[in-house]
Amino acid sequence: MIILCEPQCVGFEHCQVNSAFTAVIHEAFPGEELLFLAEGGHLEQVRNQLKQHNVEITYRQISVPKRSLSSLGRYDRDSALVRTVFETSEGIGAGRIVFCSITCPIMIAIKRLLPEYPRIRCLAIPHGLLRDISRPPVRLVEIPFWFRFWFSHFNNDRLQFLVYGQPILDDLVSVLPHMSRYAGALDHPYFYQPAGDMAHSFGEAVKFGFFGVVHRGKGADAMYRLAEDVGRVGLGDRSVFTLIGYLNDKHLDHLLNSKLNIPSAYKPLDREAFSAYAKEIDYSVYLYRPNSYRLTASGAFFDALSYVKPIITLKNPFFEYYFNRFGDIGYLCSSYAEVRDCVVEVIQSKPEDRYQEQCRNILAAREEMGVSQLADWFRMLATTLLR
């Protein structure tokens, strides 16, 4: 048996990736029973997702600590949770545990408690927590919980880390070379939308979409500027810019009175609305600051692949890796000015032949990163990560 534990997310948060990753493990080890532990709302979301994909596993509800900005405030509760998961593993004879996400206190607790449980092996997925490698604590009370220190020290071959993307692993190892022994990479698991009818023709207006939760680190001001700049050159009536997500920063209220179409300002779109807007656009645009996704995957990138939308993006290592790997899946730009000029060009030329070629390349990328293909890769990885 393999235990999967989501120790912090509640409700819909991380539901998509946790469901897809569970499906990957289920297919990688078809004879292995899986037990998924999570908060009740999250557990039901995952259960519903997996049911749609005919994945049958066992579920058990657990209590997860409330979110807190203080690692000190979380540690005792996170430590108790880790011990409960370890005791559950011992009690049912499950020697392998996958933590679908971690906080820094959870990671510390795993490292401190693991020597007490010599038959247990753990795999932990740090997600965006890796960005804290380059962020020293800003408050004195957080110094004992400095992520970089605890991540880098007290390692154990029975605790391995999984990152979602080879460029993330490459960056991690460039910063902490010794962690190559304790980490591996897998493409971001995702349940892609059915390909359907790929016929496409540009309408009177070319439609651009920005996927995901928007804040200044994700280029919110650049989104505003792009829509305004396109309008200034007389192409406002021939273009539409839509945020397929929501704002999480009240300082971005000025976007509500701009040329951006924002269907839902401060709360997530429901899945039906999200899908409807995603299907409508022609291109997906990313204006992230160059270092924004240095040590974490962009789920919004995979939204574009899921809806087969060619990409217009500022260059960063994450996007550059996938463009090099899959060929022409859009436009990789070195500067904001290059993004703006690219947008103006596609509005004016509506390059249908190249668009169709980009869509074909995206479909090939989806095939290479589908659940079955990731299961094959994870099965090989697991000989090291969960050996």
Side-chain angles (χ1 to χ4, degrees):
M1 175 179 281
I2 299 174
I3 291 178
L4 295 96
C5 176
E6 175 47 70
Q8 61 172 327
C9 295
V10 300
F12 188 75
E13 184 183 11
H14 280 195
C15 165
Q16 299 287 331
V17 64
N18 284 350
S19 302
F21 184 48
T22 300
V24 167
I25 298 177
H26 183 265
E27 188 159 336
F29 302 101
E32 195 83 50
E33 184 179 354
L34 305 185
L35 172 63
F36 188 82
L37 308 177
E39 175 268 341
H42 186 78
L43 185 149
E44 287 306 313
Q45 293 279 354
V46 170
R47 189 202 304 268
N48 292 338
Q49 283 284 319
L50 291 178
K51 186 176 180 180
Q52 294 175 27
H53 295 273
N54 300 312
V55 176
E56 295 290 338
I57 65 170
T58 304
Y59 300 89
R60 185 180 299 181
Q61 182 175 332
I62 59 172
S63 296
V64 301
K66 292 181 179 179
R67 292 296 181 92
S68 168
L69 293 177
S70 167
S71 293
L72 178 62
R74 288 193 63 100
Y75 180 73
D76 286 345
R77 292 169 290 176
D78 279 347
S79 183
L81 173 60
V82 171
R83 187 176 288 280
T84 295
V85 175
F86 283 1
E87 290 293 327
T88 299
S89 176
E90 291 270 276
I92 61 179
R96 292 173 288 181
I97 301 171
V98 176
F99 287 91
C100 297
S101 70
I102 54 172
T103 63
C104 185
I106 284 172
M107 180 188 65
I108 295 171
I110 294 171
K111 289 191 173 188
R112 293 185 67 177
L113 293 174
L114 199 55
E116 299 178 26
Y117 299 87
R119 291 189 295 273
I120 290 177
R121 297 184 178 277
C122 295
L123 179 65
I125 303 169
H127 290 289
L129 192 59
L130 281 181
R131 286 175 295 192
D132 288 348
I133 284 175
S134 58
R135 299 173 182 171
V138 295
R139 296 188 299 164
L140 288 177
V141 71
E142 292 293 312
I143 289 177
F145 298 92
W146 184 21
F147 174 75
R148 178 170 179 149
F149 173 80
W150 282 100
F151 181 72
S152 183
H153 294 84
F154 311 108
N155 287 298
N156 185 321
D157 284 335
R158 292 188 291 115
L159 170 60
Q160 298 285 315
F161 297 92
L162 181 68
V163 298
Y164 285 147
Q166 187 62 43
I168 298 170
L169 181 61
D170 293 342
D171 275 339
L172 170 61
V173 172
S174 72
V175 176
L176 298 172
H178 69 283
M179 291 304 296
S180 63
R181 175 173 174 172
Y182 305 104
L186 183 76
D187 289 314
H188 192 296
Y190 198 107
F191 286 133
Y192 295 105
Q193 292 289 312
D197 182 5
M198 286 294 101
H200 175 271
S201 61
F202 288 103
E204 184 175 338
V206 179
K207 299 177 180 179
F208 303 89
F210 304 93
F211 284 111
V213 182
V214 173
H215 50 75
R216 279 167 285 186
K218 282 191 171 183
D221 290 331
M223 289 165 45
Y224 168 83
R225 180 181 171 193
L226 180 61
E228 296 292 320
D229 284 352
V230 170
R232 288 192 191 97
V233 298
L235 296 175
D237 293 338
R238 295 170 59 185
S239 61
V240 177
F241 295 87
T242 300
L243 171 58
I244 309 172
Y246 66 99
L247 310 174
N248 77 339
D249 186 341
K250 294 292 185 179
H251 293 97
L252 299 176
D253 281 349
H254 62 284
L255 298 183
L256 301 176
N257 300 310
S258 70
K259 294 184 182 298
L260 287 173
N261 175 32
I262 304 179
S264 181
Y266 291 111
K267 65 178 182 178
L269 291 164
D270 62 43
R271 293 306 299 176
E272 291 76 15
F274 182 97
S275 184
Y277 283 109
K279 290 175 180 176
E280 282 291 312
I281 66 173
D282 298 300
Y283 293 96
S284 179
V285 181
Y286 301 88
L287 296 167
Y288 303 157
R289 293 173 182 171
N291 62 350
S292 292
Y293 280 84
R294 185 170 171 231
L295 285 166
T296 186
S298 168
F301 166 74
F302 292 90
D303 290 332
L305 301 189
S306 185
Y307 289 94
V308 196
K309 303 300 178 180
I311 293 156
I312 301 173
T313 182
L314 280 172
K315 184 183 295 186
N316 69 29
F318 183 84
F319 284 100
E320 194 169 10
Y321 169 82
Y322 286 104
F323 270 74
N324 289 338
R325 180 172 165 186
F326 296 121
D328 186 6
I329 56 175
Y331 303 88
L332 191 63
C333 305
S334 298
S335 65
Y336 167 79
E338 194 173 324
V339 170
R340 181 198 60 216
D341 293 346
C342 175
V343 167
V344 168
E345 172 62 26
V346 298
I347 293 170
Q348 293 174 331
S349 65
K350 296 181 178 177
E352 194 65 67
D353 289 344
R354 183 172 180 186
Y355 188 95
Q356 295 290 352
E357 178 63 22
Q358 290 166 339
C359 289
R360 286 191 289 271
N361 290 337
I362 288 172
L363 287 171
R366 288 172 22 141
E367 181 67 25
E368 188 171 322
M369 296 188 292
V371 167
S372 295
Q373 288 70 29
L374 294 186
D376 291 340
W377 182 245
F378 184 75
R379 191 181 303 112
M380 292 187 291
L381 267 181
T383 61
T384 300
L385 299 181
L386 284 171
R387 63 186 183 277

